[in-house]
Amino acid sequence: MSFGQGGPYGPGGSQPPQPSTPDWAALADQSAARNRRRKLLFIGGGALATAAVAAIVATAVISSGHKDKGGGDSAGGLPTPQDLPSESATPEPTFSNVAPPAPPKPLDIISSARRDKAPLSAGSLFPDKRAAKDDRSYTKAASASTTSCSAGTQGALGSVLVNNGCRKLLRATFTRDGVAVTVGVAVFDGKAAAEKAKDGYKPNIASLSGGGVPTFCRRTACQSSANAIGRYAYFTISGYTSGKAVTSSDTATLQAARDVADYTFRRILARGSAQASAEAASAASATN
């Protein structure tokens, strides 16, 4: 059998089989559709799983508040708020409603012989060798003590002291630059008697010589003063050791009298302070 020109594949003859070409657009659409379905299935499954977990947790929370048949707590026996311990196990401090007694006042002590019981002498009241005030210093020359109050006075002062119940008279003399001052401290049972003696003052306290100081202010004009604190009345007389008379314009003897009087005031008050401190310490030890 022979074939004409062109053979069986020429024009007008049968076509040879052609290779099939894939439809790429259709395949892409199908792949995208499958991916969308998988994604939807994945999201839906995740939502269902989340809902299931939430339901389980909610059931557990609700069940934790239920008691079991034995009366116990099905959640493990957690204590009720009333059973929980307090914030602090330390006991609260307690305070006494009774106020401590007020400390004794020095002036109250030296105003009454009943409380003013410390030993008293010229040496204990005037223990210093010098009496100082500001930049001025006075040397102690002599001191003395007597229970006969009128014996240490001159003029009408003796009767004033005795009539008001003077128990003791303490004297000391101080000197500086030719000026001498004697201070006399009259001791009474109470403040009222000391005030009366001060108010009824009449000259004079007798000057006290000794320790290099001659007799002074006996026959010449001198400076004098009177004051009181607590149950003590104290008097000063000041003048010149040379015997020179003191005039109204004299400042040296006036200043000396004021300085020694101030020193005496502080010494009497210090006596009260010492006894007040002792009383306070005794009261504190008694309460402990």
Side-chain angles (χ1 to χ4, degrees):
M1 177 176 184
S2 62
F3 296 90
Q5 188 178 2
Y9 298 106
S14 300
Q15 294 292 324
Q18 298 294 323
S20 59
T21 301
D23 189 347
W24 297 110
L27 290 175
D29 291 341
Q30 292 174 4
S31 176
R34 283 194 301 272
N35 289 337
R36 284 195 298 270
R37 284 195 299 273
R38 288 195 196 97
K39 188 174 183 181
L40 289 173
L41 288 173
F42 177 77
I43 293 173
L48 290 174
T50 302
V53 171
I56 293 171
V57 172
T59 302
V61 170
I62 294 172
S63 299
S64 67
H66 292 168
K67 300 289 183 178
D68 58 21
K69 292 182 180 181
D73 194 330
S74 60
L78 292 175
T80 62
Q82 292 82 359
D83 297 331
L84 293 174
S86 61
E87 293 183 359
S88 175
T90 304
E92 294 294 330
T94 58
F95 300 93
S96 173
N97 293 326
V98 180
K105 297 179 180 179
L107 187 57
D108 290 344
I109 291 177
I110 60 174
S111 293
S112 171
R114 181 179 58 84
R115 297 184 64 183
D116 186 16
K117 298 179 179 180
L120 179 60
S121 66
S124 65
L125 189 60
F126 304 109
D128 306 315
K129 293 181 179 180
R130 293 179 177 274
K133 178 67 183 292
D134 297 333
D135 59 345
R136 298 177 296 275
S137 179
Y138 301 83
T139 302
K140 184 172 72 173
S143 62
S145 175
T146 179
T147 56
S148 177
C149 296
S150 61
T153 66
Q154 57 183 357
L157 181 60
S159 60
V160 173
L161 299 184
V162 172
N163 292 340
N164 285 286
C166 178
R167 301 293 185 181
K168 184 182 292 188
L169 181 64
L170 314 172
R171 288 183 298 164
T173 294
F174 297 87
T175 183
R176 176 177 183 263
D177 296 340
V179 174
V181 182
T182 292
V183 57
V185 180
V187 185
F188 300 87
D189 288 339
K191 179 179 179 179
E195 291 289 341
K196 287 182 66 177
K198 179 200 74 173
D199 294 340
Y201 169 77
K202 295 178 181 179
N204 237 345
I205 195 76
S207 63
L208 179 67
S209 60
V213 176
T215 300
F216 67 100
C217 290
R218 293 296 177 93
R219 297 179 179 178
T220 186
C222 285
Q223 185 74 246
S224 64
S225 69
N227 216 323
I229 176 176
R231 69 187 188 108
Y232 301 88
Y234 54 100
F235 312 93
T236 65
I237 187 166
S238 59
Y240 292 99
T241 56
S242 63
K244 183 178 70 172
V246 174
T247 65
S248 59
S249 61
D250 195 297
T251 58
T253 56
L254 178 61
Q255 184 67 69
R258 287 176 175 174
D259 289 345
V260 172
D262 181 73
Y263 170 74
T264 302
F265 171 87
R266 288 185 280 115
R267 286 301 310 151
I268 296 172
L269 192 59
R271 172 182 172 82
S273 297
Q275 293 181 87
S277 297
E279 280 192 21
S282 177
S285 62
T287 57
N288 294 334

